[in-house]
Amino acid sequence: MLSLHRAKSGSVPLAIDKTVELEINGSAQRIRLCAERTGLPPILIVQAGPGLPLLHEVAKFQRHLHLESEFLVCYWDQRGCGNASQQDAKSVTLKQQVADLCSVLNWMQNETKQKIIVFGISLGATIALQAAESESDKIKSLICISPDADTARSDAAVYAFLQEQRGLAATQRFRAKLKKLGEPPYTDPTAFQLRGRLLADMGGIEHGKKFSAILKETLFGMLRVYGLVGTVKALRNMNLIQRALLPQLVSLNLFANPPRLATPVHYVFGEQDPLTPSAIAEQLPRAIAAPEITTVLLPDAGHMVHFDQPDTVRSIAVKAGNDAHD
């Protein structure tokens, strides 16, 4: 079952702007589809996580990346994210997220009659890599922004980074927060979110943007898209999903059982991203077999490379869309 309704257009004049409500594996989920004209190839945005919604960031994507001029952009609020039910949020597992993505890809191909470019961010890129192993007939290529590949190594790298910052010109307040954070692993939302705040203030999430600015932008976007009650639900759901997924993610290691892919993969990393140490950025593309692999390490970019270096990331997406590989 699905229903359609018109969504408010952004600043870009769009020929297509609608939100589709889908029933996916027993969960109510929403996808907003945007394009400047009909007939464009589809690109699916798979948001970072765990528990982060996406529909409130549509305007930000449009400002920075302008993908709607080249693609039918599909912004997907994953299971339990955003203005979803508490039951859906509690049903999230890593395995279920992969299964949901497979179902979304099947729906998109049926709707567009085209192969899909999958634009995965952080944990979304990890899910995309896992789903692509069984869904290569539906995927044209993968764009993987800062994929989560090995939680233990990533946690160790972040902890070392934060300890290094403490030894520099860190404030007393920063040192107190770092002491409160403690050592990894981080399996509860409170510690995980505190680490995110510290990393943001060090420029590791969006380069040059403090946590307070990211939080303000996020809350404003949520209120505009979900409303007050929906925003409260979105924040509640984020905590529920993190509480369920963080213990599972402790053992995440793509190197232990790397996917074998039949589609091109384009990796994009940020030089200022503490979550992805250089060794992982170098080793991951070699570990996962694919017919074509490109890797770009961008300067002045944190974990959210697509917002820090949008022109370069956009050019990678456009090239992937023009790729003749089938």
Side-chain angles (χ1 to χ4, degrees):
M1 296 291 293
L2 62 87
S3 61
L4 303 180
H5 66 273
R6 294 296 300 178
K8 293 182 180 179
S9 297
S11 59
V12 178
L14 300 175
I16 299 173
D17 189 352
K18 63 184 180 183
T19 299
V20 182
E21 298 181 356
L22 301 174
E23 188 73 18
I24 299 176
N25 301 323
S27 166
Q29 300 177 30
R30 294 193 298 165
I31 299 176
R32 182 173 171 183
L33 300 95
C34 300
E36 288 190 15
R37 59 188 185 276
T38 60
L40 292 175
I43 185 169
L44 173 65
I45 311 298
V46 187
Q47 174 69 309
L52 303 181
L54 177 61
L55 296 188
H56 72 289
E57 285 195 332
V58 170
K60 186 174 182 178
F61 270 85
Q62 291 174 346
R63 286 196 310 272
H64 288 277
L65 292 158
H66 316 294
L67 293 172
E68 280 79 2
S69 65
E70 303 287 341
F71 301 98
L72 171 64
V73 189
C74 306
Y75 300 96
W76 171 38
D77 257 359
Q78 299 173 39
R79 174 182 293 259
C81 290
N83 190 14
S85 71
Q86 186 172 355
Q87 180 180 352
D88 281 351
K90 288 182 175 180
S91 70
V92 174
T93 66
L94 187 59
K95 183 178 180 180
Q96 185 64 66
Q97 286 186 311
V98 174
D100 286 353
L101 176 53
C102 292
S103 297
V104 169
L105 290 168
N106 183 68
W107 176 82
M108 285 182 63
Q109 189 182 53
N110 287 338
E111 288 292 307
T112 65
K113 312 304 180 187
Q114 298 185 64
K115 287 191 172 183
I116 301 130
I117 297 170
V118 180
F119 187 110
I121 305 160
S122 189
L123 184 59
T126 308
I127 295 166
L129 286 166
Q130 294 175 319
E133 190 166 26
S134 62
E135 304 298 327
S136 61
D137 60 321
K138 302 176 183 68
I139 298 173
K140 185 170 186 179
S141 62
L142 296 171
I143 300 169
C144 294
I145 308 292
S146 310
D148 294 343
D150 185 337
T151 299
R153 288 169 66 188
S154 178
D155 281 354
V158 168
Y159 186 72
F161 169 79
L162 291 174
Q163 291 297 322
E164 181 182 357
Q165 300 306 307
R166 185 176 68 171
L168 298 174
T171 64
Q172 188 65 32
R173 186 178 181 184
F174 176 88
R175 294 190 182 98
K177 288 182 178 179
L178 187 57
K179 182 178 181 180
K180 180 179 180 181
L181 176 65
E183 298 184 16
Y186 307 110
T187 58
D188 69 273
T190 301
F192 182 79
Q193 292 166 24
L194 175 58
R195 186 183 73 163
R197 290 196 293 272
L198 294 173
L199 289 177
D201 283 339
M202 295 297 106
I205 305 300
E206 292 187 45
H207 188 61
K209 185 177 287 189
K210 299 286 189 179
F211 172 74
S212 59
I214 296 174
L215 178 63
K216 181 179 179 181
E217 184 179 44
T218 298
L219 290 177
F220 178 80
M222 285 185 175
L223 288 167
R224 182 170 52 84
V225 171
Y226 300 119
L228 178 59
V229 174
T231 296
V232 172
K233 290 174 65 177
L235 295 173
R236 175 205 66 192
N237 290 343
M238 180 180 68
N239 285 316
L240 289 173
I241 293 170
Q242 289 178 2
R243 191 167 292 115
L245 275 186
L246 288 172
Q248 298 178 38
L249 294 177
V250 167
S251 60
L252 174 67
N253 184 352
L254 291 182
F255 297 98
N257 186 24
R260 293 292 180 261
L261 307 180
T263 56
V265 185
H266 307 287
Y267 295 96
V268 187
F269 300 98
E271 283 187 352
Q272 309 303 318
D273 177 13
L275 287 158
T276 309
S278 58
I280 288 181
E282 293 171 3
Q283 294 168 9
L284 185 64
R286 296 199 299 265
I288 298 178
E292 177 188 347
I293 298 172
T294 65
T295 305
V296 177
L297 182 63
L298 295 180
D300 300 321
H303 199 59
M304 299 290 103
V305 189
H306 54 297
F307 291 145
D308 287 335
Q309 296 286 358
D311 292 341
T312 301
V313 173
R314 183 182 190 279
S315 69
I316 292 169
V318 171
K319 185 179 184 300
N322 293 331
D323 195 333
H325 177 86
D326 287 319

